Amino acid sequence: LLEEAEAVAGLGSWDYDLATGHMRWSDGMYHLFGMPPGQPVGPGIYLQCVLEEDWSRAERLVRRLTAGTENFEETLRLRVGEQKLLRTTRIKVMVLRDEAGRPVRVLGVDLDITELQRLEADNLRLRLTRQQALFEAVQAAQEAERRRMAENLHNGIGQILYATKLRLDRLHPLPGTDAGLATVRREAAQLLGDAIRQTRALSHELVPLVLEEFGLAAALQDISQKMSTPRLRLRSHVEFDE
């Protein structure tokens, strides 16, 4: 039953005698490492098969295993079998003690989690793809709303203000008109002009023309130039990946 369970679950078990340094593997362990059953093995097998990037962890595992002082878990990436297949293995180690509390044996279980990690990676990529799609949809909705507001400001309120200013400019003061009334007309024309300029500026800020026509790099450089002062010069350097 144990052999069948190991074969189904993709795991193997082993027993290490602290007194003799003898290590015994189950058939599941030989299967995990792509080795013929019965071949002599020892803790150093992990150092022989581990990837270079995981060497320090494998060395720590062997040291703690042969010391037999504590229970622990470790994950290693191994190249196993004649084909040097890459497998990610989760190793769980438990120390057995005698009646006096002295460690006598170390038991371990190696679990192949390669497929599990692949599924987790695929799941992560799927979640990231969905999040990216959601983000792009939100961005598109925001851009559409900004365009609508900019168009309403420019073609709606802006045109009304401009038309009002044109009508006001046609009102010439009549002879004998109070000078204060002429002053009020000039001030009203000035206020309308300011309102038109601010409306256009707000419309361009919502949807910058430079960004629309020449792209992000040109838009950032344009912002830097406009915000620069004699005391504070702003420079923009933009790099894009693919």
Side-chain angles (χ1 to χ4, degrees), residues 40-88:
V41 293
I45 189 69
Y46 292 108
L47 297 176
Q48 298 174 19
C49 300
V50 72
L51 294 186
E52 183 178 355
E53 295 85 349
D54 293 354
W55 172 266
S56 60
R57 283 191 289 172
E59 190 177 29
R60 182 172 63 247
L61 180 144
V62 173
R63 185 173 62 253
R64 297 171 71 183
L65 188 161
T66 53
T69 57
E70 58 182 340
N71 301 338
F72 64 91
E73 294 185 20
E74 188 61 85
T75 301
L76 299 176
R77 291 172 296 173
L78 308 171
R79 291 285 184 184
V80 298
E82 295 181 357
Q83 298 179 350
K84 297 298 180 181
L85 300 176
L86 178 60
R87 283 183 175 170
T88 303

Side-chain angles (χ1 to χ4, degrees), residues 55-232:
W55 172 266
S56 60
R57 283 191 289 172
E59 190 177 29
R60 182 172 63 247
L61 180 144
V62 173
R63 185 173 62 253
R64 297 171 71 183
L65 188 161
T66 53
T69 57
E70 58 182 340
N71 301 338
F72 64 91
E73 294 185 20
E74 188 61 85
T75 301
L76 299 176
R77 291 172 296 173
L78 308 171
R79 291 285 184 184
V80 298
E82 295 181 357
Q83 298 179 350
K84 297 298 180 181
L85 300 176
L86 178 60
R87 283 183 175 170
T88 303
T89 306
R90 185 66 178 171
I91 303 142
K92 185 171 184 178
V93 178
M94 182 179 66
V95 178
L96 294 183
R97 303 178 184 274
D98 59 17
E99 296 179 355
R102 295 185 296 267
V104 292
R105 295 165 61 199
V106 180
L107 301 182
V109 173
D110 288 27
L111 176 63
D112 183 4
I113 61 173
T114 307
E115 183 65 14
L116 177 61
Q117 283 199 333
R118 186 190 66 79
L119 293 175
E120 289 178 347
D122 290 345
N123 187 33
L124 177 60
R125 282 194 293 269
L126 179 60
R127 291 201 306 269
L128 292 177
T129 301
R130 290 178 176 175
Q131 290 177 358
Q132 179 69 19
L134 177 60
F135 172 76
E136 292 177 355
V138 171
Q139 286 290 98
Q142 291 179 346
E143 288 298 322
E145 182 64 14
R146 290 165 69 94
R147 292 175 187 274
R148 186 187 66 81
M149 294 176 62
E151 184 177 352
N152 289 341
L153 284 171
H154 186 271
N155 299 332
I157 299 176
Q159 295 299 325
I160 293 173
L161 290 173
Y162 185 68
T164 304
K165 186 176 184 303
L166 289 178
R167 293 295 182 90
L168 186 62
D169 290 342
R170 294 176 60 184
L171 295 177
H172 299 288
L174 299 175
T177 302
D178 186 5
L181 184 60
T183 301
V184 171
R185 192 192 70 83
R186 287 196 302 272
E187 292 176 348
Q190 183 177 354
L191 290 174
L192 282 173
D194 292 341
I196 292 172
R197 285 190 293 273
Q198 291 184 17
T199 302
R200 288 176 177 173
L202 182 58
S203 174
H204 293 163
E205 288 178 3
L206 286 172
V207 184
L209 295 180
V210 177
L211 178 63
E212 285 287 295
E213 297 180 4
F214 302 103
L216 180 59
L220 292 174
Q221 292 171 358
D222 181 65
I223 291 174
S224 297
Q225 292 174 1
K226 289 181 178 178
M227 294 184 65
S228 292
T229 65
R231 292 186 177 181
L232 178 63

